[in-house]
């Protein structure tokens, strides 16, 4: 393929992929299979790698993220990003209507929309291209989070149809509940503390430095306000619908109410309907927004210092009940993390009976000033996890006992520790604390790790209790005779179990690595590590710099890996697993080259066609090694713009070959 053909093909594929992306994510009406989509994307990726000069900043391949933003630059909003005044009753809405009608002579028309519980975003498009996305900040200026926003697939990178030349669209970025729950499940697996609610997590995610992580989390966005294009329609409702034609995901749940037809009744019906139905939505809302539709009327109504007079929010009351705190108990996780749990007098909340609520940690208990027997307020945090939000102090008895956090593990009585800067208490008795011992084995045999047939949590408990196993390596010393001696274990089950254990020896290395239960090493990280280090010995001896040079491995994970392999007992466990014949290295994959085998690279500066992470991935998939800093052992420095002068000097002093971006590409394609 020559250059011109490549350029045309890249353009064609980009356009097609954008179209299919929109069909899939915005319209939920795909025309092609996921597989075909992935193949098309791969084709584009390959072409862009070969002809980086044609890879656009807005290419569909950029959806996976990769750009790192060290500090988000501050941007002044062209139109102030105001908030809404809140209302909580029909009376308040009627008062708002009366005030509006004093200022506007003609009939008013209202639009009701859902009030999405997320983070506000303003996105600027010029000539149909996404150029900048800014958070609300203090309303006057916000942070430039463009590279993170580009990973959200329902936000178009390139518009279609008859869009305005230069305008801003605003909306709400939110965490779909399904993705939020999946993220928390993953965190549980990795032994990390779970996130408390989708909104704060969406906000935190949007401000992460690594856009690749943002891409993986699966945020979504509804766009509900257009600025700088009001000449395109008479009213908000019409313009937002037009924006759908330009490729935006706009609120589907909205309705218009015309003044003469008893509009406040209509508004209230909309509110009451959604107050009930919100439980069924796949995302969280915290109310309804009522807007005057007509732009001329909006202009007459204008703004107060904080909010527009042409709109008002109706906030749903969080479902809240009062009940008695009977007891606080403590759970011990597989990593030894201690979670306090409030045991409540059973109470109905949002259609379910609530008996327990998580209290997160000691600080939380102290902040609430909990006493045993207190009458506490319980809310369904984001409709998912019930939480205690306060105490009815009037109902407290003088003699009630303060809830004090335990000092010793409830399972093994070992004194607890709390590391500096962390909120969670831990039981350090990894080898002797039953839930930790069992939890580690259960993790090892779980579906995504060794997936051992015929072995479940109950059998693990029984095996540990009778002393047949103390750790996961002991599983491989089990025999039919030993297992069948367990109570209620039939011959057939015992056979199955032994066969399942035997079969697990063929499970690929990355899953064994995941099964080891190293803190912060989840499924994805295990895959990355397996790919980068190829076998357990290389991983075990990797130093900190080598670890963090791997894509997506940060300080925290690197330290945790090192801590794991520093422990003699872990080294021994790993050595035993190896001896029993488990897979401790990856099978070589085809398709990647080894042209950089034996060479180590330092990538520094900013590049035109790649993000730093993309360059590093290319080096790795071609057999090279990425290192963090320049030393006499470095083979090449790939130098982009803005590479520090002292680094350059050091490379020169050591006589290391410095490659420009173009030279690197040449070497890669050679
Ligand atoms: S219109 C001048 N429409 O709620 C502000 N806002 O509490 C016009 N929000 O800052 C905002 N859903 O972040 C509007 N359908 C919706 C909304 C919505 C959620 C957020 C928005 C705003 C906040 C105010």
């Amino acid at each position: 393929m020559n250059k011109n053909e490549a350029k045309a093909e890249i353009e064609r594929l980009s356009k097609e992929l954008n179209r299919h992306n929109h069909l899939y994510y915005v319209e939920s009406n795909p025309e092609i299979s996921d597989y075909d989509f992935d193949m098309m994307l791969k084709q584009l990726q390959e072409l862009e790698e070969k002809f980086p000069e044609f890879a656009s900043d807005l290419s569909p391949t950029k959806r996976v993220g990769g750009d790192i933003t060290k500090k988000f630059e501050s941007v002044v909003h062209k139109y102030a990003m105001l908030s809404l005044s809140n209302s909580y009753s029909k009376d308040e809405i009627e008062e708002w209507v009366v005030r509006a009608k004093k200022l506007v002579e003609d009939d008013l028309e209202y639009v009701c929309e859902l009030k999405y519980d997320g983070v506000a975003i303003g996105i600027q498009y010029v000539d149909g291209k996404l150029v900048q996305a800014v958070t609300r900040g203090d309303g006057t200026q916000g942070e430039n989070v463009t590279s993170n926003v580009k990973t959200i697939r329902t936000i178009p990178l390139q518009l279609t149809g008859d869009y305005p030349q230069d305008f801003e669209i605003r909306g709400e970025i939110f965490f779909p509940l399904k993705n939020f729950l999946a993220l928390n499940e993953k965190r549980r697996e990795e032994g990390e503390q779970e996130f408390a609610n989708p909104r704060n997590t969406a906000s935190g995610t949007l401000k992460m430095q690594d856009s690749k992580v943002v891409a993986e989390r699966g945020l979504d966005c509804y766009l509900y306000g257009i600025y700088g294009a009001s000449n395109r329609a008479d009213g908000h409702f019409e313009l937002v619908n037009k924006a759908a034609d330009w490729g935006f995901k706009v609120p589907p749940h909205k309705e218009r109410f015309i003044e003469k037809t008893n509009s406040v009744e209509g508004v209230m019906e909309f509110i009451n309907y959604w107050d009930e139905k919100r439980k069924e939505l796949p995302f969280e809302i915290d109310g309804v927004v009522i807007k005057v539709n007509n732009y001329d009327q909006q202009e007459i109504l204008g703004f107060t210092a904080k909010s527009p007079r042409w709109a008002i929010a109706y906030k749903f009351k969080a479902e809240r009940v009062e009940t008695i705190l009977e007891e606080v108990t403590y759970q011990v996780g597989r990593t030894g993390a201690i979670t306090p749990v409030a045991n409540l007098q059973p109470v109905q909340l949002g259609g379910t009976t609530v008996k327990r609520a998580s209290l997160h940690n000691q600080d939380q208990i102290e902040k609430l000033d909990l006493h045993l027997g207190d009458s506490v307020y319980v809310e369904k945090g984001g409709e998912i996890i019930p939480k205690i939000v306060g105490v009815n102090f009037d109902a407290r008895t003088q003699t009630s006992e303060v809830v004090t956090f335990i000092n010793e593990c409830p399972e093994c009585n070992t004194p607890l520790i709390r590391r500096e800067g962390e909120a969670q208490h831990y039981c350090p008795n990894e080898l002797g604390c039953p839930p930790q011992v069992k939890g580690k084995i259960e993790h090892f045999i779980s579906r995504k790790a060794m997936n051992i047939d015929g072995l479940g949590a109950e059998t693990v408990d029984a095996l540990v209790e009778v002393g047949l196993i103390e750790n996961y390596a002991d599983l491989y010393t089990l025999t039919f005779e030993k297992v069948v001696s367990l109570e209620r274990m039939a011959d057939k089950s015992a056979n199955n179990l032994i066969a399942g254990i035997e079969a697990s020896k063929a499970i690929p290395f990355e899953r064994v690595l995941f099964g080891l239960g190293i803190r912060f090493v989840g499924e994805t990280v295990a895959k990355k590590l397996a790919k980068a280090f190829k076998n357990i010995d290389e991983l075990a001896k990797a130093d900190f710099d080598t670890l963090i040079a791997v894509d997506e491995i940060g300080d925290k994970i690197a330290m945790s890996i090192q801590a794991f392999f520093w422990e003699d007992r872990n080294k021994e466990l790993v050595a035993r697993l190896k001896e029993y014949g488990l897979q401790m290295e990856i099978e070589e994959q085809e398709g990647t080259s080894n042209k950089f085998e034996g060479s180590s690279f330092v990538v520094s500066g900013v590049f035109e066609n790649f993000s730093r992470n993309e360059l590093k991935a290319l080096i790795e998939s071609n057999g090279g090694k990425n290192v963090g800093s320049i030393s006499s052992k470095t083979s090449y420095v790939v130098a982009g713009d803005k590479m520090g002068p002292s680094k350059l000097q050091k490379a020169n002093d050591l006589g290391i070959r410095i490659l420009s971006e173009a030279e690197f590409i040449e070497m890669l394609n050679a």
Side-chain angles (χ1 to χ4, degrees):
M1 193 179 288
N2 70 29
K3 279 201 168 199
N4 281 336
E5 285 163 353
K7 183 165 184 256
E9 185 61 5
I10 284 177
E11 275 166 18
R12 186 189 70 82
L13 286 169
S14 300
K15 209 166 157 193
E16 268 301 281
L17 282 161
N18 278 334
R19 192 172 75 82
H20 288 301
N21 184 75
H22 182 264
L23 283 170
Y24 184 92
Y25 285 102
V26 182
E27 306 210 354
S28 305
N29 186 20
E31 273 176 15
I32 59 174
S33 69
D34 291 3
Y35 177 80
D36 288 344
F37 185 91
D38 289 344
M39 287 303 111
M40 207 189 275
L41 190 68
K42 198 163 159 228
Q43 221 181 329
L44 178 62
Q45 251 159 355
E46 281 168 7
L47 267 180
E48 286 182 348
E49 266 165 36
K50 265 199 206 137
F51 300 92
E53 61 272 41
F54 302 131
S56 139
D57 220 23
L58 294 175
S59 162
T61 56
K62 291 286 186 292
R63 293 286 197 193
V64 293
D67 292 345
I68 309 276
T69 315
K70 277 283 173 230
K71 192 174 176 299
F72 297 108
E73 129 205 49
S74 211
V75 178
V76 176
H77 291 298
K78 191 164 171 193
Y79 312 93
M81 223 162 173
L82 300 174
S83 67
L84 292 169
S85 55
N86 289 330
S87 66
Y88 298 89
S89 65
K90 185 178 172 192
D91 284 353
E92 285 176 273
I93 292 180
E94 273 169 347
E95 284 162 24
W96 171 72
V97 167
V98 170
R99 281 198 303 275
K101 285 211 299 210
K102 274 191 190 144
L103 295 169
V104 180
E105 274 173 24
D106 297 329
D107 285 348
L108 292 170
E109 181 182 61
Y110 309 102
V111 176
C112 287
E113 288 168 12
L114 302 184
K115 187 169 184 312
Y116 303 99
D117 199 9
V119 205
I121 192 79
I123 314 174
Q124 195 196 1
Y125 284 83
V126 177
D127 294 328
K129 295 189 178 3
L130 186 160
V131 295
Q132 182 171 273
V134 183
T135 62
R136 189 175 119 119
D138 63 4
T140 321
Q141 54 183 26
E143 286 173 310
N144 182 343
V145 289
T146 311
S147 46
N148 286 345
V149 166
K150 276 193 209 162
T151 68
I152 301 174
R153 290 168 199 256
T154 47
I155 297 180
L157 303 174
Q158 167 71 55
L159 303 182
T160 52
D162 178 29
Y163 48 78
Q165 191 261 329
D166 185 349
F167 70 103
E168 184 174 330
I169 190 158
R170 287 185 181 169
E172 202 84 354
I173 291 176
F174 59 91
F175 224 123
L177 291 176
K178 197 167 133 237
N179 298 350
F180 177 73
L181 294 175
L183 173 65
N184 264 350
E185 179 175 347
K186 181 163 163 259
R187 288 179 72 85
R188 239 192 330 272
E189 261 174 15
E190 293 172 5
E192 283 201 74
Q193 191 164 10
E194 288 170 53
F195 290 120
N197 71 59
R199 188 177 64 128
N200 293 352
T201 314
S203 166
T205 301
L206 202 58
K207 290 188 186 158
M208 290 180 74
Q209 292 182 343
D210 188 348
S211 59
K212 217 174 204 164
V213 184
V214 184
E216 281 167 9
R217 289 208 175 162
L219 297 174
D220 201 347
C221 181
Y222 273 121
L223 293 150
Y224 49 63
I226 296 144
Y227 294 74
S230 55
N231 56 338
R232 293 293 193 106
D234 289 340
H236 165 76
F237 193 86
E238 296 83 352
L239 191 57
V240 168
N241 281 344
K242 278 200 176 147
D245 297 337
W246 308 331
F248 292 108
K249 173 166 166 163
V250 305
H253 316 291
K254 57 181 188 295
E255 228 172 295
R256 275 195 286 196
F257 298 99
I258 317 235
E259 176 84 283
K260 291 195 202 82
T261 57
N262 216 357
S263 47
V264 175
E265 295 308 319
V267 168
M268 285 319 293
E269 249 171 57
F270 186 93
I271 288 173
N272 293 332
Y273 177 82
W274 283 109
D275 195 3
E276 186 52 39
K277 276 283 179 201
R278 67 181 154 131
K279 297 187 192 97
E280 292 166 29
L281 288 171
F283 46 79
E284 291 192 341
I285 60 174
D286 60 342
V288 163
V289 184
I290 306 128
K291 301 174 180 176
V292 168
N293 191 37
N294 184 279
Y295 284 132
D296 292 337
Q297 294 179 342
Q298 282 191 8
E299 206 175 312
I300 298 171
L301 287 164
F303 300 87
T304 68
K306 276 193 239 130
S307 52
R309 282 195 200 89
W310 47 260
I312 189 166
Y314 178 96
K315 296 263 272 193
F316 294 139
K317 283 183 207 70
E319 275 189 273
R320 169 189 283 208
V321 286
E322 205 175 322
T323 188
I324 304 293
L325 171 68
E326 292 182 331
E327 192 190 1
V328 175
T329 51
Y330 298 84
Q331 285 177 342
V332 188
R334 87 170 145 88
T335 56
I338 309 288
T339 311
V341 179
N343 293 252
L344 307 164
Q345 211 168 71
V347 65
Q348 282 298 117
L349 177 62
T352 55
T353 309
V354 175
K355 292 184 207 134
R356 290 144 67 84
S358 166
L359 287 167
H360 299 293
N361 52 46
Q362 181 181 23
D363 296 347
Q364 176 84 2
I365 293 176
E366 285 171 3
K367 209 165 103 192
L368 287 164
D369 178 25
L370 283 184
H371 288 207
L372 290 178
D374 267 349
S375 191
V376 293
Y377 301 117
V378 183
E379 271 182 18
K380 271 217 160 158
E383 314 295 338
I384 318 175
I385 314 144
K387 62 171 184 236
I388 297 183
V389 292
V391 174
N392 180 355
F393 292 109
D394 295 336
R396 178 176 284 173
T397 53
Q398 288 286 328
T399 53
S400 68
E401 189 189 328
V402 181
V403 175
T404 39
F405 206 86
I406 46 170
N407 295 316
E408 287 175 0
C409 176
E411 301 279 347
C412 70
N413 302 327
T414 305
L416 300 180
I417 53 165
R418 181 175 171 179
R419 295 185 198 101
E420 210 176 298
E422 287 192 13
Q424 205 89 10
H425 280 74
Y426 283 89
C427 166
N429 182 18
E430 275 185 62
L431 295 183
C433 181
Q436 294 192 61
V437 170
K438 291 175 189 166
K440 285 188 177 70
I441 301 172
E442 277 164 23
H443 172 75
F444 182 80
I445 63 167
S446 65
R447 198 173 44 82
K448 287 178 178 167
M450 306 305 283
N451 193 20
I452 298 186
D453 249 3
L455 187 53
E458 268 174 43
T459 315
V460 169
D461 282 7
L463 287 166
V464 172
E465 256 142 50
V466 300
L468 277 174
I469 58 171
E470 283 175 9
N471 53 54
Y472 41 65
D474 291 344
L475 288 169
Y476 297 90
T477 65
L478 292 174
T479 57
F480 174 82
E481 288 72 28
K482 285 185 187 172
V483 173
V484 87
S485 72
L486 286 181
E487 235 178 277
R488 279 183 296 156
M489 176 66 77
D491 281 13
K492 195 173 162 211
S493 313
N495 263 325
N496 269 350
L497 207 168
I498 298 298
I501 291 174
E502 194 54 35
S504 75
K505 294 180 181 169
I507 293 287
F509 174 47
E510 67 253 31
R511 282 172 55 188
V512 180
L513 189 51
F514 171 55
L516 295 181
I518 305 173
R519 200 170 169 215
F520 307 131
V521 177
E523 236 188 319
T524 329
V525 170
K527 271 191 201 143
K528 299 254 150 152
L529 290 169
K531 198 162 165 239
F533 293 96
K534 313 265 193 288
N535 62 59
I536 196 87
D537 298 325
E538 287 299 317
L539 175 65
K541 68 175 193 226
D543 62 17
F544 184 78
D545 286 344
T546 318
L547 284 166
I548 58 168
V550 177
D551 192 21
E552 279 182 43
I553 307 301
D555 295 10
K556 201 174 70 176
I557 301 176
M559 282 194 274
S560 167
I561 295 167
Q562 288 198 298
F564 181 88
F565 287 107
W566 276 331
E567 297 264 4
D568 284 337
R569 59 164 188 264
N570 290 333
K571 278 193 249 181
E572 196 192 308
L573 281 177
V574 168
R576 283 177 60 200
L577 292 178
K578 206 167 165 188
E579 198 187 302
Y580 297 137
L582 275 72
Q583 300 300 312
M584 289 297 181
E585 58 185 40
I586 57 166
E587 286 173 39
E588 278 307 327
Q589 286 179 359
E590 38 183 305
T592 49
S593 93
N594 54 3
K595 62 173 65 135
F596 295 153
E597 188 88 79
S599 302
S600 61
F601 290 74
V602 170
V603 178
S604 181
V606 184
F607 300 88
E608 209 180 310
N609 299 300
F610 303 99
S611 73
R612 263 202 297 282
N613 277 338
E614 284 167 344
L615 270 181
K616 286 183 183 172
L618 280 175
I619 290 167
E620 261 169 42
S621 57
N622 287 283
K625 208 164 152 185
N626 290 297
V627 290
S629 57
I630 300 172
S631 74
S632 56
K633 288 191 208 131
T634 311
S635 327
Y636 301 99
V637 173
V638 191
D641 275 353
K642 300 204 187 118
M643 171 170 167
S646 60
K647 264 197 186 166
L648 214 55
Q649 184 67 43
K650 186 164 179 196
N652 274 325
D653 290 349
L654 291 170
I656 295 164
R657 181 150 171 222
I658 298 169
L659 300 173
S660 69
E661 187 177 2
E663 283 168 329
F664 174 77
I665 295 168
E666 214 176 276
M667 232 169 97
L668 187 69
N669 291 337

